[in-house]
């Protein structure tokens, strides 16, 4: 995928890894929109879903990681991006690196391009997911 049209990217994606997020609405909205969502916190991958009763979010450890993801959405400072790309984006064969606003990073954009990744920033992934769900 070479196109960095956010709607097209999400329309063609199934799995998203969140490396931090600003609030619980991010995983909640992405799961509600039908994506398989994973989270990462230091040394721990989790699968994110809803409780069986339809209540809050449930985080289930995934010991071996998600295997492969389509998008890695990052809400971390620029100085951590190269490590995130090396430890998560490339090993999980993600095609898209999406920075969650207000995070932006010119160096990260260049690094993503060097690694053949589609790069998206300045656009909230949940806004795009909501737009697609409304269609």
């Amino acid at each position: 995928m070479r196109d960095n049209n956010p709607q097209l990217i999400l329309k063609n994606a199934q799995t998203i890894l969140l490396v931090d997020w600003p609030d619980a609405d991010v995983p909640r909205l992405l799961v509600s929109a039908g994506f398989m969502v994973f989270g990462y916190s230091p040394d721990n991958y989790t699968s994110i879903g809803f409780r069986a009763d339809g209540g809050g979010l449930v985080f289930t450890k995934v010991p071996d990681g998600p295997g492969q993801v389509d998008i890695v959405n990052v809400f971390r400072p620029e100085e951590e991006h190269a490590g995130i790309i090396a430890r998560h984006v490339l090993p999980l064969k993600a095609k898209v690196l999406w920075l969650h606003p207000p995070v932006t990073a010119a160096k990260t954009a260049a690094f993503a391009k060097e690694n053949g990744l589609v790069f998206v920033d300045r656009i909230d992934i949940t806004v795009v997911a909501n737009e697609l769900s409304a269609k």
Side-chain angles (χ1 to χ4, degrees):
M1 175 185 289
R2 286 284 181 239
D3 192 345
N4 67 348
N5 176 312
Q7 287 194 343
L8 185 59
I9 290 169
L10 277 186
K11 192 179 282 189
N12 291 310
Q14 295 177 350
T15 56
I16 300 171
L17 172 66
L18 300 175
V19 180
D20 206 356
W21 51 89
D23 58 63
D25 284 342
V26 175
R28 181 178 293 113
L29 290 168
L30 293 173
V31 170
S32 292
F35 294 99
M36 181 177 289
V37 181
F38 297 93
Y40 179 81
S41 57
D43 301 321
N44 190 28
Y45 286 104
T46 57
S47 174
I48 305 172
F50 289 115
R51 289 191 337 224
D53 64 5
L57 293 174
V58 174
F59 297 80
T60 306
K61 285 185 182 180
V62 181
D64 297 327
Q68 185 173 345
V69 297
D70 298 313
I71 299 170
V72 176
N73 185 265
V74 177
F75 186 70
R76 300 297 305 154
E78 181 175 15
E79 56 270 9
E80 296 180 27
H81 294 174
I84 289 168
I85 292 169
R87 283 190 311 274
H88 306 291
V89 177
L90 298 177
L92 295 175
K93 297 177 179 69
K95 302 205 179 3
V96 179
L97 175 63
W98 193 314
L99 300 185
H100 196 95
V103 178
T104 61
K107 287 181 187 175
T108 302
F111 192 68
K113 185 176 180 181
E114 288 171 13
N115 284 281
L117 301 169
V118 173
F119 179 78
V120 180
D121 68 345
R122 296 183 173 94
I123 300 169
D124 186 325
I125 195 168
T126 62
V127 170
V128 179
N130 280 335
E131 290 170 356
L132 287 175
S133 295
K135 288 184 175 181

